Amino acid sequence: MYLKEKPIKRVAAIHDLSGFGKASLTVVIPILSSMEIQVCPLPTAILSTHTGGFEDYSFLDLTDNMKDIISHWKKLDLSFDAIYSGFLGSEKQIDIVMEFIQYFSQKNETLVVVDPVLGDDGRLYATITEGMVKDMKKLVSKSHVITPNLTEACFLLDEKYDQDISEEMLKSWLKRLSDMGPEIVIITSVPDESKSKIGVLAYERTNNRFWKITNNYIKALYPGTGDSFASVIVGSLLNGDSVPMAIDRATQFVSTCLKASYGYKYPQREGILLEKVLDTLNAPTLLQSYEIF
Ligand code: PXL
């Protein structure tokens, strides 16, 4: 049949909605929409702002509402090309996401991407508990792709955060993370030896290949860059890119966002100026930056 019942790819995006500060759904939706992918948000919580650099934020836990949303989606017999989870609000929510994956990826045609949002810069985010770290390990085991930053990789592996980690050690970490379940492991925010560059390292179990991309380090911490990176990975893989193409595209996009933002003087906690560079997502990737290591 020529007319398709589902004309574009569809993602169930399980993240919070933070009203101000550009993170989670406020970056996931524009990025994936720009990549011609339909986003169906399953919100985990509503916050006045994200938690990175703001205090006294409001936090509405949506655990019970998530169950209602999911049961309606089941009644509608919805199907998704990908399930993509990020910031989760409680241990109970991690169980809900695992059940969601079990139910909605029965035919094994659904790409499951877990961004194990736990912390950054060696520390857990304010709302993340030790119990959530433990449960996140279980959720990771149900995924095809994970995108931890270096801090999150340490928490998932019970390793100490050390910015001076060697490449050989990182290779073993990538494999150990993949042994937990996911076929593709992408670790972001890895400083290189000189600390003047920052890298993304990836492992693909099927081909037993390691990929690396490094970029000049911009000394600035804008919350939401991890969410932007993972969203581009989801969009690229759904659009048929290979793993190195996807990391190339995601790295170029985040680095363009950082450069666009760094030229302005405003509080970094307000996040990257995503809107200024969204249209670059559809430019062809030059595929000149990745290395095999
Ligand atoms: O960008 C990750 C993220 C997502 N959601 C919330 C956060 C953060 C990071 O600080 O606070 C609410």
Side-chain angles (χ1 to χ4, degrees):
M1 190 172 64
Y2 180 69
L3 285 175
K4 292 188 183 150
E5 280 175 28
K6 190 148 67 68
I8 56 172
K9 297 258 170 84
R10 190 187 286 159
V11 177
I14 315 176
H15 300 252
D16 68 279
L17 178 65
S18 289
F20 187 72
K22 254 178 244 163
S24 40
L25 283 176
T26 60
V27 307
V28 172
I29 298 172
I31 289 177
L32 285 166
S33 298
S34 303
M35 297 175 89
E36 290 190 32
I37 288 161
Q38 179 189 357
V39 180
C40 307
L42 173 50
T44 58
I46 298 179
L47 293 89
S48 48
T49 64
H50 61 67
T51 65
F54 291 100
E55 277 155 31
D56 301 327
Y57 45 84
S58 66
F59 185 100
L60 176 66
D61 185 324
L62 295 181
T63 307
D64 293 333
N65 309 73
M66 283 173 80
K67 289 185 191 152
D68 295 340
I69 297 170
I70 295 167
S71 53
H72 190 205
W73 285 4
K74 285 182 181 170
K75 271 195 210 134
L76 291 172
D77 202 20
L78 295 187
S79 64
F80 301 98
D81 299 287
I83 299 168
Y84 165 32
S85 73
F87 178 91
L88 299 172
S90 63
E91 289 171 39
K92 215 163 149 196
Q93 284 190 3
I94 303 185
D95 290 336
I96 295 178
V97 179
M98 285 201 280
E99 277 169 41
F100 187 90
I101 294 171
Q102 167 89 10
Y103 184 91
F104 284 98
S105 59
Q106 277 163 2
K107 288 188 210 130
N108 214 12
E109 285 166 4
T110 306
L111 174 73
V112 179
V113 180
V114 170
D115 184 13
V117 177
L118 296 171
D120 204 357
D121 226 8
R123 285 189 301 267
L124 291 179
Y125 292 130
T127 57
I128 305 290
T129 61
E130 291 295 332
M132 289 171 77
V133 175
K134 213 165 129 215
D135 284 356
M136 191 58 91
K137 295 177 189 168
K138 292 190 213 152
L139 179 58
V140 157
S141 75
K142 307 282 173 213
S143 68
H144 300 118
V145 183
I146 57 168
T147 55
N149 58 32
L150 185 59
T151 303
E152 291 157 345
C154 291
F155 280 105
L156 291 175
L157 292 170
D158 294 316
E159 292 284 355
K160 232 178 94 219
Y161 179 75
D162 178 5
Q163 292 206 328
D164 291 321
I165 183 165
S166 71
E167 223 165 74
E168 274 319 296
M169 187 62 88
L170 279 163
K171 265 183 150 172
S172 80
W173 284 18
L174 285 163
K175 276 202 163 182
R176 277 170 60 199
L177 286 166
S178 176
D179 288 342
M180 291 168 75
E183 268 161 57
I184 297 167
V185 176
I186 304 171
I187 305 186
T188 62
S189 306
V190 182
D192 81 342
E193 279 163 23
S194 69
K195 303 280 178 301
S196 61
K197 293 197 181 284
I198 188 117
V200 173
L201 305 180
Y203 174 62
E204 209 183 347
R205 192 172 59 222
T206 330
N207 298 324
N208 195 30
R209 291 219 175 117
F210 292 90
W211 317 97
K212 173 167 108 175
I213 292 190
T214 36
N215 249 303
N216 286 333
Y217 183 54
I218 296 181
K219 201 174 173 327
L221 257 187
Y222 293 91
T225 47
D227 298 330
S228 306
F229 180 88
S231 302
V232 180
I233 294 285
V234 172
S236 297
L237 292 177
L238 278 182
N239 284 338
D241 283 350
S242 66
V243 172
M245 279 162 94
I247 52 175
D248 223 340
R249 194 182 292 282
T251 311
Q252 278 177 35
F253 180 69
V254 171
S255 136
T256 312
C257 280
L258 286 173
K259 284 180 179 156
S261 310
Y262 201 62
Y264 290 92
K265 191 172 181 303
Y266 69 98
Q268 285 175 14
R269 67 181 189 177
E270 293 184 15
I272 42 178
L273 299 180
L274 178 82
E275 293 79 0
K276 286 207 171 281
V277 294
L278 264 183
D279 59 349
T280 63
L281 276 173
N282 292 314
T285 356
L286 293 175
L287 274 186
Q288 282 178 352
S289 18
Y290 81 75
E291 297 165 53
I292 298 152
F293 80 109

